Amino acid sequence: MNKQIIVLGGGCFWCLEAVYQKVKGVTSVTSGYAGGTERDANYYRVSTGKTGHAEVVEVVFDADIVSLET
């Protein structure tokens, strides 16, 4: 296995998670937050737009099956 990891932001992490979980070669998708000014981010506070966080997903994939570009 040629394990690769990428963190992607693109709006709602639930939407990103749903798409990447269906891609052949992806072994895991984990939702979370990046950046921001508050130490303990949570969905309620981040959704106000005042914390500076972005919703992101960490995608773990096998590059022998699916390329980063795909």
Side-chain angles (χ1 to χ4, degrees):
M1 177 177 176
N2 183 4
K3 179 180 171 181
Q4 302 289 315
I5 300 171
I6 187 168
V7 176
L8 303 167
C12 172
F13 54 55
W14 289 320
C15 298
L16 292 172
E17 185 176 309
V19 170
Y20 286 107
Q21 286 176 336
K22 295 179 181 181
V23 175
K24 184 178 180 180
V26 170
T27 58
S28 71
V29 182
T30 306
S31 297
Y33 305 101
T37 57
E38 291 192 24
R39 182 180 172 127
D40 296 316
N42 66 49
Y43 188 77
Y44 174 75
R45 290 195 305 232
V46 171
S47 67
T48 67
K50 296 179 181 179
T51 69
H53 288 86
E55 293 184 33
V56 298
V57 291
E58 177 190 78
V59 180
V60 180
F61 64 98
D62 184 341
D64 291 334
I65 298 172
V66 62
S67 69
L68 176 60
E69 291 78 13
T70 300

